[in-house]
Amino acid sequence: MKKRCSLKVLLCAVLLVGTGSAGTALALTVVGDLGGESTAPLFDAINAGPRATPANRPALQQPPKSLSISDMLPVSTPEMTPGQVAARPLNLPGMPPVFIVGDDPSSRQWLETHAASLRQSGATGMVVNVSDEANLNALRQLAPGLSLVPVRGGDLARRLPLAHYPVLITASGMQQ
C-alpha cells in the first residue's frame, strides 16, 4: 500500500515538473485564429470586485417594454415553399408533434382538413411564411384551439432536408 501511494506521488511530481516549475509559465501554441470579436468583455464581471465597472463595457440594448406578434412579422422562409412532401420515417425520440404551414391556399386547405387530428395529437403549428398579423389570424381561425406561431423555418429545413410544406413532423416520421 505504501509503495503504491509513493508511486502516485512520484507520478504527480513528474507531471508537474514536465509541465513547468512554479515560477515558469509555458507558452501556448496558437494553431488557428479564425478572427472575430474578443469574448473578453463577456467575462469582465467574473471575479471583478463589487464596485468594479469595466471602462469599455458596451451598453446592453434594452428589450422593448412589450412584444407582440406583429413585432415578429413578416416571416419569410425562402428555403421552403408550398408543395408535395413524401412521407418518410424519422427517429426523433421525445419530439412533440409539430406541423408546418404557410399563408397559401394549399396550407389553408390542409389545415382545415387536419385540424381535428392535429388538435387531438397536441401538435404545435409553425407558420413559416406569413406577411402580417391579419393573415396569421385568418390561419388561426381555420383551426381554433391550435397554437400557430410565426417562425423562420430555415434551420429546420436544413436539418430535416425539407423543402415543402404543409407537413406534420412527429417523433417517428413526417407526412403530409
Side-chain angles (χ1 to χ4, degrees):
M1 179 73 171
K2 211 176 203 186
K3 189 174 187 177
R4 193 176 273 179
C5 183
S6 42
L7 183 59
K8 286 181 183 178
V9 170
L10 178 62
L11 181 59
C12 288
V14 169
L15 289 173
L16 287 173
V17 169
T19 59
S21 61
T24 307
L26 294 177
L28 297 175
T29 302
V30 176
V31 293
D33 184 356
L34 302 177
E37 294 182 24
S38 171
T39 58
L42 301 173
F43 299 101
D44 284 345
I46 298 174
N47 293 331
R51 295 183 185 157
T53 57
N56 297 336
R57 178 191 229 164
L60 294 176
Q61 205 172 17
Q62 293 298 318
K65 297 272 185 217
S66 66
L67 290 174
S68 70
I69 292 294
S70 59
D71 293 327
M72 298 170 19
L73 296 168
V75 170
S76 174
T77 305
E79 299 89 343
M80 299 178 76
T81 58
Q84 295 297 313
V85 177
R88 64 179 165 159
L90 295 172
N91 185 16
L92 304 170
M95 168 82 172
V98 173
F99 61 94
I100 300 172
V101 295
D103 181 28
D104 58 89
S106 62
S107 290
R108 284 189 220 95
Q109 181 182 4
W110 185 87
L111 191 55
E112 281 184 303
T113 303
H114 295 89
S117 63
L118 294 169
R119 237 184 330 273
Q120 186 177 8
S121 69
T124 300
M126 296 172 58
V127 184
V128 295
N129 284 310
V130 63
S131 60
D132 56 35
E133 194 168 359
N135 290 338
L136 178 62
N137 287 335
L139 286 170
R140 288 176 170 165
Q141 288 175 358
L142 294 174
L146 284 174
S147 176
L148 287 152
V149 183
V151 177
R152 287 209 41 159
D155 189 47
L156 187 62
R158 283 186 292 281
R159 290 177 187 267
L160 290 178
L162 184 61
H164 300 297
Y165 58 83
V167 64
L168 172 63
I169 302 169
T170 65
S172 59
M174 72 171 59
Q175 63 186 19
Q176 195 167 45

